[in-house]
Amino acid sequence: DPNINFNIDGKANLNDTFPSAQIVGQINNLNLYALNLLPYPLKAQMNLDADIKGYKVDDILGYAQIKDIVLENDSIKWSADSIDFKAEILDNKKRQLSLTSPFINATLLGQFNASEIPTVFAKFGDQYFPFSSFIGGEEVDDAVSDAATDSIRQDYINVEIGIKDPTELAQLFNIDLRQLDTASLSFTLDAPENLSDLKFDLPNLQYGDIEVHQMKMTGDNKGNQLKTQLRIDSIRVSESMSIPSIKIDAKLSENKTSFSAKIVEDSTN
């Protein structure tokens, strides 16, 4: 088939207590549109190299690397040296998951089971406000109660994510992202008690006709309250509609929430 040309060698060992798999390969040509895998033109070339051990996501150790990547359609050609994923246990016994690429870098460090991270966050939030009851989980009766605190895993999670100019790559996948120079998210969750240094920064974003300028969010749980602050310099929705300034402060505690919002509309529109 002229639309697909690849060579992949793999080896798996399922007999050990800790199973492993190794994969090396080359995708010389993959026409995703011609193969009816995508509704728009996109061709891909890349090399693969992976050495992974473990039964499930919580046990995984090793690396996976996509190298010499070329993605193209009729008008755009995007290339990258590599996208690297690594899962390891460091000398201090903490687990680290890392993703490195030209458009996103992410690190998850701490003591955690990756499959249980959503539950850890939900139960942490339930100490202050019954989030779970809004998403179909069990209703929480007493925020920050001893029972609720004891039910949360003693996990430590440090997250750092950085995004750098993915606009050309997004356009290859028919995503109308016109500007996103940089964005970052970082925080530390020392469950069950402490959330610190939550920071989100998005200088400029344009998706279609919508433009967002200078979005910042911070948060923590000092003083037995879950507090967040959101600031946006301006939002342009269309030629005739824009919001120059948004400021929102929210506090959650004892199953209650309070917030203040200041939104200033452009008087010229």
Side-chain angles (χ1 to χ4, degrees), residues 184-187 197-202 214-219 227-232 248:
S184 63
L185 170 67
S186 62
F187 63 85
D197 301 322
L198 171 63
K199 297 177 182 177
F200 174 71
D201 186 23
L202 177 63
Q214 199 57 62
M215 176 187 294
K216 289 181 177 290
M217 185 175 72
T218 60
K227 296 176 289 186
T228 60
Q229 303 85 38
L230 175 66
R231 303 289 185 266
I232 303 175
I248 300 175

Side-chain angles (χ1 to χ4, degrees), residues 163-183:
I163 298 175
K164 183 179 180 181
D165 193 14
T167 52
E168 191 174 51
L169 182 61
Q171 290 165 13
L172 274 169
F173 290 91
N174 274 12
I175 300 172
D176 195 12
L177 181 64
R178 302 180 187 180
Q179 183 181 12
L180 199 172
D181 296 334
T182 61

Side-chain angles (χ1 to χ4, degrees), residues 34-53:
L35 293 169
N36 295 316
L37 297 175
L38 286 177
Y40 47 83
L42 184 65
K43 296 180 181 179
Q45 301 175 39
M46 63 194 71
N47 295 324
L48 310 174
D49 182 12
D51 188 346
I52 299 293
K53 300 177 181 179

Side-chain angles (χ1 to χ4, degrees), residues 9-16 18-23 50-52:
D9 295 320
K11 181 172 65 174
N13 185 349
L14 303 179
N15 296 320
D16 291 345
F18 211 47
S20 63
Q22 296 83 39
I23 297 173
D51 188 346
I52 299 293

Side-chain angles (χ1 to χ4, degrees), residues 98-158:
S98 60
L99 177 66
T100 305
S101 76
F103 58 94
I104 182 170
N105 294 302
T107 301
L108 186 62
L109 172 68
Q111 296 172 330
F112 56 85
N113 285 337
S115 65
E116 297 183 10
I117 287 177
T119 301
V120 171
F121 277 96
K123 288 189 175 182
F124 176 81
D126 284 343
Q127 296 179 101
Y128 305 94
F129 191 76
F131 293 103
S132 293
S133 64
F134 287 97
I135 56 176
E138 296 181 358
E139 187 171 351
V140 180
D141 294 327
D142 298 311
V144 205
S145 67
D146 292 338
T149 301
D150 291 342
S151 70
I152 304 175
R153 288 176 49 86
Q154 301 288 322
D155 284 10
Y156 176 87
I157 305 169
N158 178 263

